């Protein structure tokens, strides 16, 4: 779905000021509240906006260690292993991948010993052949989507249609 300039401005406000009211967003953008609400509804319906909850910090929750675990799975067991990963609270997300491994899991832990315990638990999951772990040292680019949104907004050259 292409976004126009108004969509881009709306998304920027949502990302930069997530706790602001719809009425205030409309005022800042200089559009009618109904127009803004219709845009928000469309962006949600089209899957551009996927959530409104707060972002949480695993480090602030006592899990400062971040690792990416590549998981090789026995052929035909990807769904079962994926279901087992969903039951591990320290796995904050996991993806099927092409390349070196079958799954890539983002794992958080209290410390390195805890990370080892989590990895040992993963290795014991039926269908897991082997794992390879990479520990993140420092976040260099935080999760962000605003530059992408702005790039898409500029490249479409579309103006607001209401």
């Amino acid at each position: 779905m292409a976004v126009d300039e108004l969509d881009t401005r709306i998304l920027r406000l949502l990302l930069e000021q997530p706790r602001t009211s719809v009425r205030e967003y409309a005022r800042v953008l200089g559009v009618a509240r109904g127009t803004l609400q219709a845009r928000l509804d469309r962006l949600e319906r089209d899957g551009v906006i996927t959530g409104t909850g707060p972002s949480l910090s695993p480090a602030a929750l006592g899990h400062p260690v971040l690792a990416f675990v590549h998981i090789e799975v026995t052929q035909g067991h990807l769904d079962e292993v994926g279901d087992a990963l969903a039951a591990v609270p320290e796995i904050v997300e996991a993806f099927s991948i092409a390349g070196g491994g079958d799954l890539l899991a983002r794992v958080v832990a209290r410390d390195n010993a805890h990370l080892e315990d989590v990895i040992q638990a993963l290795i014991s999951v039926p269908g897991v052949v082997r794992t390879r772990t990479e520990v993140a040292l420092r976040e260099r680019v935080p999760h962000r989507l605003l530059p992408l949104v702005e790039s898409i907004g500029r490249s479409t050259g579309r103006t607001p249609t209401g």
Side-chain angles (χ1 to χ4, degrees):
M1 178 210 142
V3 297
D4 64 21
E5 182 209 349
L6 180 56
D7 292 331
T8 301
R9 291 172 53 215
I10 291 168
L11 293 169
R12 171 184 276 285
L13 276 176
L14 287 173
L15 291 169
E16 291 179 345
Q17 302 173 32
R19 298 179 69 145
T20 303
S21 70
V22 171
R23 179 176 297 189
E24 180 62 13
Y25 288 144
R27 187 193 67 73
V28 168
L29 294 168
V31 298
R33 186 186 180 288
T35 298
L36 178 63
Q37 189 62 59
R39 290 293 186 112
L40 289 171
D41 292 345
R42 180 181 52 81
L43 290 167
E44 286 180 16
R45 187 176 55 252
D46 291 347
V48 174
I49 297 173
T50 58
T52 58
S55 294
L56 304 178
S57 166
L61 292 169
H63 288 67
V65 176
L66 171 62
F68 298 92
V69 180
H70 298 261
I71 304 166
E72 188 177 320
V73 177
T74 303
Q75 202 165 20
H77 290 83
L78 195 58
D79 290 338
E80 294 90 345
V81 171
D83 290 344
L85 296 183
V88 179
E90 293 85 359
I91 295 178
V92 294
E93 59 185 345
F95 302 90
S96 299
I97 60 170
D102 300 300
L103 293 166
L104 178 64
R106 183 173 171 218
V107 178
V108 296
R110 293 185 302 273
D111 52 35
N112 287 342
H114 182 217
L115 176 61
E116 182 181 13
D117 293 343
V118 173
I119 293 166
Q120 290 301 318
L122 294 178
I123 292 169
S124 71
V125 170
V128 171
V129 175
R130 73 179 47 89
T131 64
R132 181 173 54 87
T133 303
E134 298 169 353
V135 176
L137 299 176
R138 181 181 302 162
E139 182 178 67
R140 298 293 180 168
V141 178
H143 179 77
R144 69 207 179 119
L145 291 174
L146 186 56
L148 176 65
V149 168
E150 290 175 335
S151 172
I152 293 167
R154 281 191 304 270
S155 69
T156 63
R158 294 178 56 219
T159 56
T161 56

